Amino acid sequence: MDQTVGTVGARPIAQGADWPSKQRAWATVFVLMAAYTLAFVDRQILTLLVEPVRRDLNITDTQFSLLAGLAFTLFYTVMGIPFAWLADRSSRRRLIIFSIGFWTLMTAACGMAGSFVSLFLARIGVGVGEAGLSPAAYSMIADNFPPAKRARPLGVYAIGSICGVGLALIIGGAVIQWAINAPPVVLPILGELKSWQLAFIIVSLPGPILVLAMLPVKEPKRQEKPLADGETRPSFVAFLRRRWVPFTLLSLGYSLIGVSVAAYLSWTPAMMMRSHDWAMSQVGLAYGLILLVFSTSGVVLGGWWSDRMASRGKSDAIIRVAVTGTALALPFTILAPLAPTGALAMAAIAAMCFFFGLTQGLPAPSLQAIAPNRLRARVMALYLLIGNIIAFTVGPTGVALISDYWLKDPSKIGLAVAIVSAVVVPLGLLSLWAARKSFVEASLYEAGEG
């Protein structure tokens, strides 16, 4: 039976609160999305600069993996918790302005690095800076829109990550192609720069512009559910004790689905080059455009579809859309690496990206719906900690282990991606569906209806 949205007794629903104007709310979303896009360009660009970085710094694959993974991910996920604590208690706008400025500076520092150690430290700085963005941004967006209208704006914000990865692939592929014949670039003060150093400096340039764009953004009023007689403000530990079932199932479900997404982000270039003899620039352009077109359109449709279902009284709308999108993506996650030609493989990846897109914008509205206002940033930070560790450890590394120690053939890296996806995506689906009942109960309560 479908749960319906309404009122309980004389208590008003959340839509009756004093929400910002539609224009102001959406302006905030688009500025934050632009920041998220830049964040993903700055973090992802390194993965396509592997060969020139290894050559110029004389480092091994293992050292490069530390630059691309550990240096960023560990500090990004760990620092998210204290930054989220700040976001729940102070100005989210000021935290975001600081974050943009700091990671932009550290991205430029990557372009000035001349050794493994200096690049490693700069990558840590990028991770620390970016850790302050998403928990605060998700909380701000949730306070700009009523619960039944949050999926779409939160989905639009999530598009920033997809745009960032897509642009990083396109830019990185173009830089690699250009670097083959380009002469050294000499800049005042900095002197001669390698192509990969120049790439870092170029992608850092929009940072100051985004800092200026954040200045007119207003800190939204916190839309908190009124406390009942004798009720105290919720603590984070109390929330986890009370809502551990929906939080755990939602986090596990979205994280397992993210394993497949991370596996494709990490290994699609290698799969296309090894199995279909595509050049890196060709892969970067094709895959980048697929992400920009198909993934983003899927995210927009998923948010619109979820909000439309919610407005019609289905309080489990987010879960329904997430499960549907993932189920439709599953066969393409397995078929894409098995395609006989590169064109067919990319067509299957395009379909997969569109259907995964229906789901990719929904983790935030799912978790925001079950969390009290003053805990939303920390709830998102904990989810991002869990999700990033699971997705970006199991995905890339699980594929590599299967390829190296089971298949024992680098040309079969795509088959390893298919195997990992065939295992984790169904498990993610089961976890999301199992969360449906507890999600509805928690979300209705936090909306003031349960």
Coordinates of all heavy atoms in Angstrom, one line a residue, residues 347-381:
A347 N 28.1 2.6 -26.8 CA 26.6 2.7 -26.8 C 26.0 2.1 -25.6 O 25.1 2.6 -25.0 CB 26.0 2.0 -28.1
A348 N 26.5 0.9 -25.2 CA 26.0 0.3 -23.9 C 26.4 1.1 -22.7 O 25.6 1.2 -21.8 CB 26.7 -1.1 -23.8
I349 N 27.6 1.7 -22.7 CA 28.0 2.6 -21.6 C 27.1 3.8 -21.5 O 26.7 4.3 -20.4 CB 29.5 3.0 -21.7 CG1 30.4 1.8 -21.4 CG2 29.8 4.1 -20.8 CD1 31.8 2.0 -21.7
A350 N 26.7 4.3 -22.7 CA 25.8 5.5 -22.7 C 24.4 5.1 -22.1 O 23.9 5.9 -21.3 CB 25.6 6.0 -24.1
A351 N 23.9 3.9 -22.4 CA 22.6 3.5 -21.8 C 22.8 3.3 -20.3 O 21.9 3.7 -19.5 CB 22.1 2.2 -22.5
M352 N 23.9 2.7 -19.9 CA 24.1 2.4 -18.5 C 24.2 3.8 -17.8 O 23.6 3.9 -16.7 CB 25.5 1.7 -18.4 CG 25.9 1.5 -16.9 SD 27.6 1.0 -16.8 CE 28.4 2.6 -17.2
C353 N 24.9 4.8 -18.3 CA 25.1 6.0 -17.7 C 23.7 6.7 -17.5 O 23.5 7.4 -16.5 CB 26.0 6.9 -18.4 SG 27.8 6.4 -18.3
F354 N 22.9 6.6 -18.5 CA 21.5 7.3 -18.4 C 20.7 6.7 -17.3 O 20.1 7.4 -16.4 CB 20.8 7.2 -19.7 CG 19.4 7.7 -19.7 CD1 19.1 9.0 -19.7 CD2 18.3 6.8 -19.6 CE1 17.8 9.5 -19.6 CE2 17.0 7.3 -19.5 CZ 16.8 8.6 -19.5
F355 N 20.7 5.3 -17.2 CA 19.9 4.7 -16.2 C 20.5 4.8 -14.8 O 19.7 5.0 -13.8 CB 19.6 3.2 -16.6 CG 18.7 3.0 -17.8 CD1 19.2 2.2 -18.9 CD2 17.5 3.6 -17.8 CE1 18.4 2.1 -20.0 CE2 16.7 3.4 -18.9 CZ 17.1 2.6 -20.0
F356 N 21.8 4.7 -14.7 CA 22.4 5.0 -13.4 C 22.1 6.4 -13.0 O 22.0 6.7 -11.8 CB 23.9 4.8 -13.5 CG 24.4 3.4 -13.0 CD1 25.5 2.8 -13.6 CD2 23.7 2.7 -12.1 CE1 25.9 1.5 -13.2 CE2 24.0 1.4 -11.6 CZ 25.2 0.9 -12.2
G357 N 22.0 7.3 -14.0 CA 21.8 8.7 -13.7 C 20.4 8.9 -12.9 O 20.3 9.8 -12.1
L358 N 19.5 8.1 -13.2 CA 18.2 8.2 -12.5 C 18.4 8.0 -11.0 O 17.7 8.5 -10.2 CB 17.2 7.1 -13.0 CG 16.8 7.2 -14.5 CD1 15.9 5.9 -14.8 CD2 16.0 8.4 -14.7
T359 N 19.4 7.2 -10.6 CA 19.7 6.9 -9.2 C 20.7 7.8 -8.6 O 20.6 8.1 -7.4 CB 20.2 5.4 -9.1 OG1 19.2 4.6 -9.7 CG2 20.5 5.1 -7.7
Q360 N 21.7 8.3 -9.4 CA 22.8 9.0 -8.8 C 22.5 10.3 -8.1 O 23.3 10.7 -7.3 CB 23.8 9.3 -10.0 CG 24.7 8.1 -10.3 CD 25.7 8.3 -11.4 OE1 25.4 8.3 -12.6 NE2 26.9 8.6 -11.0
G361 N 21.4 11.0 -8.4 CA 21.0 12.2 -7.7 C 20.2 12.0 -6.5 O 19.8 13.0 -5.8
L362 N 19.9 10.7 -6.1 CA 19.0 10.4 -5.1 C 19.5 10.1 -3.7 O 18.8 10.1 -2.7 CB 18.0 9.3 -5.5 CG 17.2 9.7 -6.8 CD1 16.3 8.5 -7.2 CD2 16.4 11.0 -6.6
P363 N 20.8 9.8 -3.6 CA 21.3 9.5 -2.2 C 21.1 10.7 -1.3 O 20.7 10.5 -0.1 CB 22.8 9.3 -2.4 CG 22.9 8.7 -3.8 CD 21.8 9.4 -4.6
A364 N 21.4 11.9 -1.7 CA 21.2 13.1 -0.9 C 19.8 13.3 -0.4 O 19.5 13.4 0.8 CB 21.8 14.3 -1.6
P365 N 18.8 13.4 -1.3 CA 17.4 13.6 -0.8 C 16.9 12.4 0.0 O 16.1 12.6 0.9 CB 16.6 13.7 -2.1 CG 17.4 13.2 -3.2 CD 18.8 13.4 -2.8
S366 N 17.4 11.2 -0.2 CA 17.0 10.1 0.6 C 17.5 10.3 2.1 O 16.7 10.1 3.0 CB 17.7 8.8 0.1 OG 17.3 8.5 -1.2
L367 N 18.7 10.7 2.2 CA 19.3 10.8 3.6 C 18.9 12.1 4.2 O 18.7 12.2 5.5 CB 20.8 10.7 3.5 CG 21.3 9.3 3.1 CD1 22.8 9.4 2.6 CD2 21.2 8.4 4.3
Q368 N 18.7 13.2 3.4 CA 18.2 14.4 4.0 C 16.8 14.2 4.6 O 16.4 14.9 5.5 CB 18.2 15.5 3.0 CG 19.5 15.9 2.4 CD 20.4 16.7 3.3 OE1 20.1 17.9 3.5 NE2 21.3 16.1 4.0
A369 N 16.0 13.4 3.9 CA 14.6 13.1 4.3 C 14.5 12.5 5.7 O 13.5 12.7 6.4 CB 13.9 12.3 3.3
I370 N 15.5 11.7 6.1 CA 15.4 11.0 7.4 C 16.1 11.6 8.5 O 16.2 11.1 9.6 CB 15.8 9.5 7.2 CG1 17.3 9.4 6.9 CG2 15.1 8.8 6.1 CD1 17.9 8.0 7.0
A371 N 16.8 12.8 8.2 CA 17.7 13.4 9.2 C 17.1 14.7 9.7 O 16.5 15.5 8.9 CB 19.0 13.7 8.6
P372 N 17.2 15.0 11.0 CA 16.8 16.3 11.5 C 17.6 17.4 10.9 O 18.8 17.2 10.5 CB 17.0 16.2 13.0 CG 17.1 14.7 13.3 CD 17.6 14.1 12.1
N373 N 17.1 18.6 10.9 CA 17.8 19.7 10.2 C 19.2 19.9 10.7 O 20.2 20.0 9.9 CB 17.0 21.0 10.4 CG 17.7 22.2 9.7 OD1 18.7 22.7 10.2 ND2 17.1 22.6 8.6
R374 N 19.4 19.9 12.0 CA 20.7 20.3 12.6 C 21.7 19.1 12.5 O 22.8 19.2 13.0 CB 20.5 20.6 14.1 CG 19.8 21.9 14.3 CD 20.7 23.1 14.1 NE 20.0 24.4 14.2 CZ 20.6 25.6 14.2 NH1 21.9 25.6 14.1 NH2 19.9 26.7 14.3
L375 N 21.3 18.0 11.9 CA 22.2 16.9 11.7 C 22.5 16.5 10.3 O 23.2 15.6 10.0 CB 21.7 15.6 12.5 CG 21.4 15.7 14.0 CD1 20.8 14.4 14.5 CD2 22.7 16.1 14.7
R376 N 21.8 17.3 9.4 CA 21.9 16.9 8.0 C 23.3 16.9 7.4 O 23.7 16.0 6.6 CB 21.0 17.8 7.1 CG 19.5 17.5 7.3 CD 18.7 18.5 6.5 NE 17.3 18.2 6.7 CZ 16.3 19.1 6.6 NH1 16.6 20.4 6.2 NH2 15.1 18.8 6.8
A377 N 24.1 17.9 7.7 CA 25.5 17.9 7.2 C 26.3 16.8 7.7 O 27.0 16.1 6.9 CB 26.1 19.2 7.5
R378 N 26.1 16.4 9.0 CA 26.9 15.3 9.5 C 26.4 14.0 9.0 O 27.2 13.0 8.7 CB 26.8 15.3 11.0 CG 27.9 16.2 11.7 CD 27.6 16.4 13.1 NE 26.5 17.3 13.4 CZ 26.0 17.6 14.6 NH1 26.6 17.0 15.7 NH2 25.0 18.4 14.7
V379 N 25.1 13.8 8.8 CA 24.6 12.6 8.2 C 25.2 12.4 6.8 O 25.6 11.3 6.4 CB 23.1 12.6 8.1 CG1 22.5 11.5 7.3 CG2 22.5 12.5 9.5
M380 N 25.2 13.5 6.0 CA 25.8 13.4 4.6 C 27.3 13.1 4.7 O 27.8 12.4 3.9 CB 25.5 14.7 3.8 CG 24.1 14.8 3.3 SD 23.5 13.4 2.3 CE 24.8 13.3 1.1
A381 N 28.0 13.7 5.6 CA 29.4 13.5 5.7 C 29.7 12.1 6.1 O 30.6 11.5 5.5 CB 30.0 14.4 6.8

